[in-house]
Amino acid sequence: MDGEVTVSELAAPFEMSLPAVSKHLKVLQRAGLVARGREAQWRPCRLEAGPMKDATDWLVHYRRFWEQSFDRMDDYLKTLKDKERDDGSDG
Amino acid sequence: MAAMVEGARGFEFVIEREFDCPRDLMWRLWTEDAHIAAWFGPKGCRTRCLRNDFEVGGWMVYRMAWEMDGRPTDHGGRWVYREISPPERLVFISSFADPDGNPLRHPWQDGWPMQILSTVTFAALGDRTRVRVLWQAFDATDEELVVFEAGRDSMRGGWGGSFEVLAEYVASL
């Protein structure tokens, strides 16, 4: 089931009222992750693939951010150790 | 587990690593300007610590500069310290920020929470230290929470783009 669906189709598999589903959809819409058509009655919903991908990608991005920071920390610790050793041998 | 903090809810981002370094030194690496600047930020970036009022409620303000596709770029952020418990636990609120420390929205991720609660814990393992960073959205709007929560889905292989996934997601909110 890709493309466009109605709120009732979306809500069908869950024990959730239509107003509750609509409320969640409004949040997703305001976050730019879901778009809704203007066609009168049934206002179909669809995923905004680009923003949705950016949103799920943040974790990959920040995992890399921290992995690389930690790599730099490892290198930095080595230079501190070398410095300590060199200082020690001088003194 | 982190203690529950009022204002923090939803998805928890966690990253851990063990370092060949005693805990007291690790604590200094996270709390002293010159040390922070030496490692904080991804490969190839140059970090400057512009200020560090190291006390609860105080700010650490930094800038990071690097090259993106051959062009120089930079951004900055701010930590506001909430808990300082040497040498075990450091808790602060992270935000993007200008050089004066005024909070800004995420430069390229729409809807990213303005405030992230960062809980950093240091476990001593003899002469080694295990560092754990935990992030939670803090005082987030529903829209910000949705964007932060989306990270959970990347661990399940990302969004399929199908409405089964969307329906499941709506149900999980």
Side-chain angles (χ1 to χ4, degrees), chain B residues 58-73:
Chain B
W59 297 4
M60 192 281 274
V61 178
Y62 64 87
R63 297 298 295 174
M64 284 177 183
W66 72 96
E67 298 221 328
M68 190 153 55
D69 305 324
R71 282 178 301 119
T73 179

Side-chain angles (χ1 to χ4, degrees), chain B residues 87-102:
Chain B
E88 286 160 18
R89 202 170 131 93
L90 184 65
V91 183
F92 50 86
I93 303 274
S94 318
S95 301
F96 285 88
D98 69 18
D100 293 325
N102 302 305

Side-chain angles (χ1 to χ4, degrees), chain B residues 27-57:
Chain B
W27 177 262
R28 294 179 53 203
L29 254 55
W30 278 82
T31 55
E32 293 177 15
D33 320 16
H35 288 316
I36 297 171
W39 67 265
F40 183 52
K43 194 175 153 195
C45 99
R46 293 173 308 284
T47 302
R48 282 179 305 141
C49 201
L50 304 181
R51 68 187 262 195
N52 189 15
D53 312 320
F54 191 59
E55 59 189 5
V56 171

Side-chain angles (χ1 to χ4, degrees), chain B residues 36 72 88 131 143 155:
Chain B
I36 297 171
E88 286 160 18
V131 178
E143 289 75 20
M155 295 191 300

Side-chain angles (χ1 to χ4, degrees), chain B residues 10-21:
Chain B
F11 177 61
E12 297 183 350
F13 169 77
V14 177
I15 191 153
E16 280 185 288
R17 192 180 298 186
E18 197 178 311
F19 293 91
D20 186 13
C21 158

Side-chain angles (χ1 to χ4, degrees), chain A residues 62-78:
Chain A
Y62 276 112
R63 194 162 287 284
R64 193 162 53 218
F65 175 97
W66 281 108
E67 292 292 354
Q68 292 188 3
S69 289
F70 286 165
D71 289 347
R72 291 180 64 199
M73 187 180 264
D74 257 333
D75 292 343
Y76 183 55
L77 282 166
K78 282 192 193 93

